[in-house]
Amino acid sequence: HIPTPTAATAARTARPWCHRAGAGPPTPIAQEGKGRDTAASRAPVKGSTLSTESTSQLTIDDVARNTAAILDEVEKAVVGKRSVLELIMAGLLADGHVLLEDVPGVAKTLIARSLATVTGLAFSRVQFTPDLIPSDLTGALMPGPNGSPVFMKGPLFANLVLGDEINRAPSKTQAAALEAMEERQVTVDGESHQLPKPYFLLATQNPIETEGT
């Protein structure tokens, strides 16, 4: 079962729509190479694929059991991060989003990729930089085979999106990400495009190197 958030957990909440986790010193991880192969080569845990259709008939006990199975599977790739994984799963089950603040090299990308593999969610990763523009996230209209414009989807069109160092992006690019997070859609050339369900954005930011933020 996911433990009831404590006062310390609540104090780490940065905004109403995000959880803040892993803000302390880097915690030890192990078996990154071996664990990556283990998580990537496994099929999703039976009954744990997180879709609106599969979860609508589950009881609380079913959700708790499936959540524990997912966390146990992810921990085969990521060691020593159980509390962080629990917070991420809480955000995912609550149909929210999560912000992880930690230094580089502590398995944030591995956590996101392993979670997507275990749950069977489509995964994409975006490296936020100061020159990133909104269309790099949302997609853009491109000329089609017959010359008419065709919408080409951007990396936001996935079930689980990892936004790496989101604080480095300019404000207008972050606004495009916020629309996706809040409205579950993106707007391109005045037309709205719905994002897939479920939709979960796991953002990270580096508290040490703040150049470009």
Side-chain angles (χ1 to χ4, degrees):
H1 294 269
I2 297 176
T4 302
T6 61
T9 300
R12 291 198 297 268
T13 303
R15 297 183 179 92
W17 46 264
C18 70
H19 296 282
R20 194 182 184 102
T27 51
I29 60 172
Q31 303 176 4
E32 182 161 344
K34 181 179 179 182
R36 188 188 301 272
D37 294 337
T38 300
S41 62
R42 292 179 178 271
V45 177
K46 183 178 180 181
S48 66
T49 301
L50 298 177
S51 66
T52 54
E53 292 80 13
S54 63
T55 58
S56 60
Q57 303 301 322
L58 295 180
T59 66
I60 294 179
D61 290 338
D62 292 333
V63 173
R65 182 169 55 254
N66 289 339
T67 299
I70 291 171
L71 294 176
D72 291 343
E73 191 72 12
V74 174
E75 278 199 306
K76 295 178 181 179
V78 183
V79 180
K81 293 279 191 177
R82 184 76 180 199
S83 60
V84 175
L85 294 175
E86 289 174 346
L87 283 175
I88 293 173
M89 280 300 303
L92 178 57
L93 293 172
D95 196 26
H97 307 282
V98 172
L99 173 66
L100 295 178
E101 183 180 76
D102 214 337
V103 296
V106 292
K108 296 188 294 294
T109 301
L110 180 60
I111 287 174
R113 192 179 300 275
S114 299
L115 181 60
T117 300
V118 172
T119 55
L121 299 178
F123 174 78
S124 70
R125 178 183 180 276
V126 182
Q127 177 62 55
F128 282 80
T129 58
D131 60 348
L132 198 71
I133 61 176
S135 61
D136 292 332
L137 298 179
T138 62
L141 293 175
M142 304 293 290
N146 57 356
S148 59
V150 177
F151 177 64
M152 304 297 291
K153 295 180 179 180
L156 287 181
F157 284 83
N159 298 119
L160 196 158
V161 179
L162 173 64
D164 213 357
E165 296 184 308
I166 193 172
N167 54 318
R168 297 189 63 199
S171 301
K172 60 182 180 181
T173 304
Q174 292 188 22
L178 287 173
E179 181 190 7
M181 295 162 65
E182 179 65 23
E183 305 295 337
R184 299 320 199 256
Q185 68 177 27
V186 299
T187 303
V188 178
D189 199 26
E191 184 176 352
S192 297
H193 301 269
Q194 297 298 316
L195 294 168
K197 297 181 180 181
Y199 188 75
F200 179 64
L201 193 143
L202 176 60
T204 74
Q205 68 178 27
N206 181 356
I208 304 301
E209 299 175 3
T210 58
E211 181 178 357
T213 64

